[in-house]
Amino acid sequence: MVVYEATVYTGDRIQATTLNSVHIKLVGTDGESDRTWLKSLVIFRGSVSTYTVSCPNSLGRLLLIELDKRQFGFLPDDAWFPDKVEIKSPEEDVYTFPIHCWISDQETHRYREGKALRIFDESHSLGQYARQQELSQRSLEYDWEFYGPGIPYTIKADGAMTLPDEVQFSFTKTTEFAFTAATGLAELRLKGLVDNQENWKTLDDINGVFRNKDTPLSDYVQEHWAEDWLFAYQFLNGVNPTLIRRCKTLPENFPVTDDMVFIPDGSNLLNELERGNIYLCDYKNLDGMPANIINEKQQYLTAPLVLLHKRSDDKLMPIAIQLKQTPAEDNPIFLPTDSAYDWLTAKIFVRSADFSEHQLNAHLLRTHLLAEVFAVSLLRNLPMVHPIYKLLIPHTRYTLQINELARERLIGPAGVFTLFAASGREALPKILARSLSSITYRSLCIPDDIADRDLQDLPNFYYRDDGLQLWSIIFKYVQRVIKYYYKSDDEVQRDSELQTWIGDIFKHGFLSQLQTGIPQNFTTVSELIKFATMVMFTCSCQHAAVNSGQYDYGGWMPNTPATLQRAPPTKKGTTSKSTILETLPPINVTAQGMATVWLLSRRSSDFVSLGDYPEYHYTEETPRQLQTDFKSDLDKLSIMINNRNKDLEIPYTYLDPKNVENSVAI
Ligand code: FE2
């Protein structure tokens, strides 16, 4: 008889304790143990308990363990959250089995030993079998669902609560999320705003909404929103830094002439175009999109063009705005020299177009939906023991569930966005499909994206500065981990699971559209490194950049109106204070929008910041050390960003690594 020591680590989290009886079976190269009861009436959260498993003979090298739990007598059935199990063999070898997920059913669950293995490293038939079994089980649990023509596939599920336990929110997050949503709405209901379809009488009245929920920046935005420099600043460091590009030649459909615009210091438009001081934001993605009907009223959504000038004092300022794509007499080019109301109205139309472009393209499609594709594809195609699974799984935390919730509560038939945004209902799937058809791999990789938009030297562009630093820190970490596991291009080519993984992403995420430039397979180690860097960057940094400032910049509604109620002016001199109030969203739409951006900008108490790996998927020393190095690089960057921010009028905090969440989780 030989004895194995099994040490069980239970997660220290709410409701992780189990009153059920837990059984374990050890499987090794030379045999398996009996299914053995871990003799405890209760396994407490945060506990570390050691049990014995006896076998007639040694089991050889341990490959996997099986765990199951059963309801015990009259005690209630419950869920248990084991972190890991360590087994000490009679030969004194220690094997670690990472788990880090809920077990709430009575099924048998298999967990592989922690050392990362590629498919061709599996030397034992049992390991190969377990690998196949795991993937076929997962491909049933994580299936694709067609969401709409031209739109990435999503996870197949009947709502957020039906997803497998391992990808669900923790108890803490579920209760907090429900609480925050309820308190925001309760406050609005108390003030009788949700049912009030009237227009605002004055801008000051809007101030009363969410009075106690302001952030320092939302206060600042309220004070300065109508100023040109803040309008321009937001294209660099607001919630949508993805649109602006340098303009060397004016687009044909934007006939701004020299005599229209005022360029200080005796220069003119032509000179400034040549010198590279002119920038363009073009909302052509929204052209021709049918605007929503809200409160039984037709709404308006335009596809503006904005021209900006970088002055010699490095300030970026808007110099011309055309609200529709086709130049015409009834589509004037608005200028800062027009009446104050004309110019402000033009800027409001741009900010409202930006709301739709930002939420649907920059935020929903390019972070949430892509992160979901990466998550589903990872779960379907790579087993837990695969080194790339271990690398990327922390960056998929809560993504499937938050997206299911978004489909139920935001963009579903009764969702807030569907009902209250200009681009809700009919336009929504059209904008998503158009956005996907123009997405490129290069635009998802910030060094390429900045180069393509020719923005390398634009001053005061903190999204770019911090984003590029983050990219290079992530790249370094990913490169070191991947090079530890893949010594040659040949190993990448031979890894059939990796090839299926990327093929699945190309097909279900990018709908096999070749012009995206997304790889269909990997032929080199460097291709794999770049792609994995892009996945990590998109799920963490890019999402933080487009998500975290939603209340800062959207909390003061006139700065980011979700919809507009009047058509854009067709000639100059027709606007006034009252036309602006008639154009802005009515009271109920404002209230819904502000409650939503408040909820989506909150940080939950179980927030995991970039580079924190509380769950140890890697058990080997080298990748664990690389994670420590990665974290220390991020800490250094955080200090640099904080120092820089001390001198800024508006500190740029969204890409401070401490504020970046590991995954798309809100
Ligand atoms: Fe988000």
Side-chain angles (χ1 to χ4, degrees):
M1 208 58 146
V2 294
V3 175
Y4 286 81
E5 258 179 33
T7 306
V8 177
Y9 295 75
T10 295
D12 187 11
R13 51 175 77 203
I14 295 172
Q15 295 192 334
T17 299
T18 183
L19 300 173
N20 295 170
S21 51
V22 174
H23 303 87
I24 193 168
K25 186 198 259 191
L26 315 182
V27 181
T29 49
D30 298 341
E32 57 185 52
S33 73
D34 287 338
R35 175 173 167 266
T36 307
W37 177 40
L38 303 180
K39 294 191 181 64
S40 279
L41 284 180
V42 188
I43 301 182
F44 288 102
R45 65 179 268 199
S47 66
V48 179
S49 315
T50 302
Y51 309 88
T52 54
V53 178
S54 304
C55 306
N57 300 304
S58 167
L59 304 174
R61 181 166 58 85
L62 291 187
L63 297 169
L64 57 94
I65 57 171
E66 289 182 2
L67 289 174
D68 70 83
K69 63 170 195 59
R70 297 289 147 86
Q71 194 173 351
F72 189 77
F74 57 87
L75 294 171
D77 198 6
D78 55 31
W80 175 46
F81 192 94
D83 268 342
K84 63 175 176 178
V85 174
E86 272 173 14
I87 309 282
K88 193 169 168 195
S89 73
E91 297 85 12
E92 302 277 304
D93 293 322
V94 177
Y95 298 88
T96 305
F97 298 82
I99 301 172
H100 305 297
C101 63
W102 291 98
I103 299 179
S104 61
D105 56 20
Q106 308 216 342
E107 305 292 316
T108 299
H109 299 269
R110 284 199 187 101
Y111 302 97
R112 299 295 305 274
E113 204 278 321
K115 183 181 182 329
L117 296 174
R118 299 156 305 172
I119 186 165
F120 45 76
D121 298 324
E122 294 280 9
S123 51
H124 197 277
S125 58
L126 260 177
Q128 290 160 5
Y129 176 74
R131 208 170 175 107
Q132 280 163 10
Q133 283 293 100
E134 183 189 338
L135 288 182
S136 48
Q137 177 64 28
R138 278 172 178 270
S139 63
L140 296 175
E141 283 175 350
Y142 301 98
D143 203 357
W144 294 110
E145 181 146 75
F146 176 75
Y147 191 57
I151 300 173
Y153 281 67
T154 64
I155 178 81
K156 188 171 192 166
D158 294 325
M161 303 317 283
T162 66
L163 291 167
D165 288 340
E166 60 181 342
V167 295
Q168 291 233 13
F169 285 169
S170 68
F171 179 74
T172 320
K173 175 126 179 161
T174 312
T175 46
E176 268 179 15
F177 198 81
F179 178 75
T180 316
T183 47
L185 284 169
E187 186 176 340
L188 295 168
R189 282 218 181 84
L190 278 173
K191 291 179 178 169
L193 301 176
V194 177
D195 303 317
N196 189 338
Q197 301 189 0
E198 287 171 33
N199 291 341
W200 294 99
K201 300 265 185 318
T202 69
L203 287 180
D204 278 347
D205 291 348
I206 306 172
N207 199 15
V209 186
F210 265 33
R211 191 72 198 102
N212 58 347
K213 294 234 190 296
D214 296 338
T215 60
L217 189 44
S218 72
D219 277 347
Y220 185 94
V221 169
Q222 180 177 343
E223 210 175 308
H224 298 279
W225 72 284
E227 295 169 27
D228 283 359
W229 71 269
L230 187 60
F231 174 80
Y233 172 90
Q234 292 179 71
F235 292 118
L236 305 180
N237 305 309
V239 288
N240 185 15
T242 66
L243 198 67
I244 189 168
R245 52 175 58 241
R246 199 195 303 266
C247 174
K248 288 281 180 64
T249 323
L250 287 178
E252 272 180 19
N253 61 335
F254 194 18
V256 182
T257 56
D258 224 2
D259 57 335
M260 284 183 189
V261 295
F262 170 71
I263 306 278
D265 304 329
S267 186
N268 61 36
L269 184 58
L270 205 61
N271 281 341
E272 294 303 289
L273 280 164
E274 271 173 18
R275 288 178 191 161
N277 289 332
I278 300 294
Y279 294 84
L280 176 74
C281 293
D282 187 349
Y283 291 89
K284 60 185 171 198
N285 207 24
L286 303 176
D287 189 28
M289 290 297 167
N292 209 345
I293 291 170
I294 299 175
N295 297 343
E296 294 168 5
K297 248 179 110 176
Q298 179 63 52
Q299 305 294 300
Y300 295 89
L301 174 65
T302 59
L305 293 130
V306 185
L307 209 61
L308 302 123
H309 175 227
K310 185 198 73 94
R311 299 191 319 201
S312 55
D313 63 359
D314 282 350
K315 269 211 161 156
L316 189 68
M317 297 296 265
I319 54 171
I321 293 172
Q322 180 182 293
L323 293 179
K324 291 173 276 186
Q325 288 282 311
T326 313
E329 205 157 303
D330 63 358
N331 182 23
I333 295 178
F334 291 97
L335 307 163
T337 47
D338 293 337
S339 83
Y341 291 122
D342 274 4
W343 182 236
L344 184 59
T345 300
K347 287 192 291 180
I348 287 172
F349 272 92
V350 173
R351 294 295 311 147
S352 188
D354 196 73
F355 171 86
S356 291
E357 171 69 16
H358 162 255
Q359 289 296 2
L360 294 181
N361 189 5
H363 185 198
L364 178 61
L365 174 68
R366 298 174 69 98
T367 64
H368 279 258
L369 294 182
L370 290 187
E372 179 170 359
V373 166
F374 302 146
V376 173
S377 186
L378 190 73
L379 288 158
R380 285 172 62 80
N381 297 300
L382 299 186
M384 284 186 275
V385 76
H386 196 284
I388 302 298
Y389 179 93
K390 289 171 187 279
L391 178 72
L392 296 179
I393 197 69
H395 303 284
T396 67
R397 179 174 182 255
Y398 296 161
T399 302
L400 300 183
Q401 193 165 14
I402 198 69
N403 282 6
E404 275 297 294
L405 282 172
R407 283 188 281 272
E408 283 167 26
R409 298 187 196 171
L410 296 179
I411 57 170
V416 180
F417 194 96
T418 305
L419 299 180
F420 299 111
S423 51
R425 279 188 253 261
E426 221 187 315
L428 194 150
K430 292 189 164 126
I431 294 174
L432 285 178
R434 191 183 281 175
S435 304
L436 185 73
S437 71
S438 59
I439 219 167
T440 61
Y441 184 29
R442 288 181 63 84
S443 71
L444 298 171
C445 302
I446 190 170
D448 299 335
D449 178 50
I450 294 297
D452 291 351
R453 294 196 277 146
D454 202 1
L455 298 175
Q456 296 92 326
D457 56 2
L458 183 56
N460 311 316
F461 192 10
Y462 311 114
Y463 160 78
R464 172 203 58 203
D465 297 345
D466 300 352
L468 286 174
Q469 298 252 35
L470 280 164
W471 176 277
S472 79
I473 291 173
I474 294 173
F475 186 87
K476 177 177 149 193
Y477 162 64
V478 169
Q479 182 176 49
R480 293 170 79 191
V481 172
I482 289 182
K483 285 198 165 171
Y484 174 70
Y485 289 107
Y486 292 87
K487 302 292 182 207
S488 69
D489 293 344
D490 177 60
E491 289 186 340
V492 167
Q493 290 161 22
R494 281 199 297 133
D495 190 329
S496 54
E497 289 167 343
L498 266 189
Q499 303 297 350
T500 319
W501 172 61
I502 186 65
D504 211 8
I505 291 172
F506 180 70
K507 182 173 172 196
H508 290 102
F510 297 88
L511 310 180
S512 304
Q513 295 176 11
L514 287 170
Q515 81 280 4
T516 59
I518 292 289
Q520 300 174 57
N521 48 50
F522 295 121
T523 48
T524 64
V525 179
S526 357
E527 282 171 13
L528 175 60
I529 292 167
K530 183 170 183 179
F531 193 81
T533 303
M534 182 278 285
V535 170
M536 263 180 73
F537 184 87
T538 300
C539 298
S540 55
C541 310
Q542 188 62 21
H543 179 255
V546 299
N547 185 79
S548 310
Q550 290 181 95
Y551 194 80
D552 287 342
Y553 289 99
W556 174 245
M557 176 278 282
N559 186 56
T560 312
T563 185
L564 294 174
Q565 305 191 82
R566 275 178 67 116
T570 52
K571 58 179 192 226
K572 298 189 181 187
T574 58
T575 60
S576 63
K577 193 184 245 178
S578 65
T579 63
I580 287 181
L581 288 165
E582 286 160 20
T583 304
L584 289 171
I587 292 170
N588 64 331
V589 177
T590 308
Q592 292 283 359
M594 287 163 94
T596 307
V597 290
W598 171 256
L599 173 65
L600 298 182
S601 310
R602 294 304 83 206
R603 175 196 276 228
S604 79
S605 63
D606 66 352
F607 176 99
V608 178
S609 64
L610 181 61
D612 272 350
Y613 295 106
E615 298 175 351
Y616 290 115
H617 292 278
Y618 286 117
T619 56
E620 297 145 276
E621 206 180 315
T622 303
R624 294 277 292 272
Q625 182 57 46
L626 295 175
Q627 288 184 332
T628 308
D629 297 349
F630 176 42
K631 185 67 189 161
S632 115
D633 285 348
L634 292 168
D635 288 345
K636 282 180 209 144
L637 178 62
S638 178
I639 292 168
M640 282 167 56
I641 290 175
N642 272 291
N643 284 337
R644 189 250 348 254
N645 282 346
K646 283 180 194 154
D647 300 326
L648 295 182
E649 171 90 3
I650 303 177
Y652 186 72
T653 56
Y654 307 132
L655 290 182
D656 174 347
K658 289 198 167 45
N659 297 334
V660 173
E661 195 157 13
N662 247 341
S663 59
V664 175
I666 188 71

